[in-house]
Amino acid sequence: MALEWLALLRRAHHEFSTRIEAVTDWSAPTPDSEWDVAALVRHVVAEQQWVPPLLGGLTVADAESRIRPLGDDLVAEWNLFSGLAIAAWDVAPPAAPVHLSYATVTVEHYLREQVSDVTIHAWDLSRAVGVDENLDPALVAGVWEVLDQQRDMLVASGLFANPVAVPDGAPLQDRLIALTGRDPRPTAPGGAR
């Protein structure tokens, strides 16, 4: 199971990488109304900075001193910290404990959480920069498995907006995106639906 999720992690990072390369307007709005493109990318890159020290057994408090401010070249920062995070995941034992801010979980739990985060934000970045929004189907299926089981918790947590209604029989990716409070319907030029 962990090997499958490591493969999905690589797919998620690939999906994000292809989209970050397409950014031309770092101040463009994203589906997350609190962030523009630069803030969204900074969030995802910062999450990758935390992976090696946390997988190395440090607590959040101990790891904090190892986290440096990100530079202005966010593509380079993504490439650097994506590579370091993947290398750390490759050697982390799936059942080892990871001390996160909200609980101590297993490496595999944290891996699934990170795959989900990068995947959803790859879609956000697609929508923001106007490129193909279709994500790898295996990645969508894996993240759906995680988030659908956490449906009630996601709504209660406030991490996402309330789920968006989609038609019965909507594609799995649309249902996944809608579950996270994003509207998967295509936007026309000028933002109209």
Side-chain angles (χ1 to χ4, degrees), residues 42-124:
R42 282 185 179 281
H43 162 75
V44 177
V45 174
E47 288 292 318
Q48 305 320 301
Q49 284 184 288
W50 286 91
V51 169
L54 293 178
L55 292 182
L58 296 182
T59 65
V60 170
D62 291 337
E64 193 166 16
S65 65
R66 297 180 181 212
I67 306 300
R68 68 167 175 79
L70 294 174
D72 292 332
D73 185 344
L74 293 177
V75 175
E77 295 284 46
W78 164 253
N79 291 331
L80 170 64
F81 289 111
S82 171
L84 292 173
I86 288 172
W89 288 115
D90 282 343
V91 297
V98 181
H99 308 288
L100 301 179
S101 60
Y102 64 88
T104 297
V105 300
T106 65
V107 164
E108 189 165 350
H109 178 98
Y110 182 39
L111 175 58
R112 290 174 184 228
E113 182 180 288
Q114 282 297 303
V115 169
S116 299
D117 190 61
V118 174
T119 299
I120 297 301
H121 290 317
W123 184 88
D124 288 338

Side-chain angles (χ1 to χ4, degrees), residues 9 80 102 127 159:
L9 175 81
L80 170 64
Y102 64 88
R127 175 65 53 102
L159 289 173

Side-chain angles (χ1 to χ4, degrees), residues 7-8 10-12 14-15 19 119 122 132-143 172-173 176:
L8 291 178
R10 283 184 162 75
R11 289 180 187 182
H14 174 74
E15 295 282 6
R19 286 152 175 91
T119 299
D132 183 7
E133 295 174 6
N134 291 309
L135 299 168
D136 181 287
L139 188 55
V140 169
V143 175
L172 185 59
Q173 178 173 309
L176 172 64

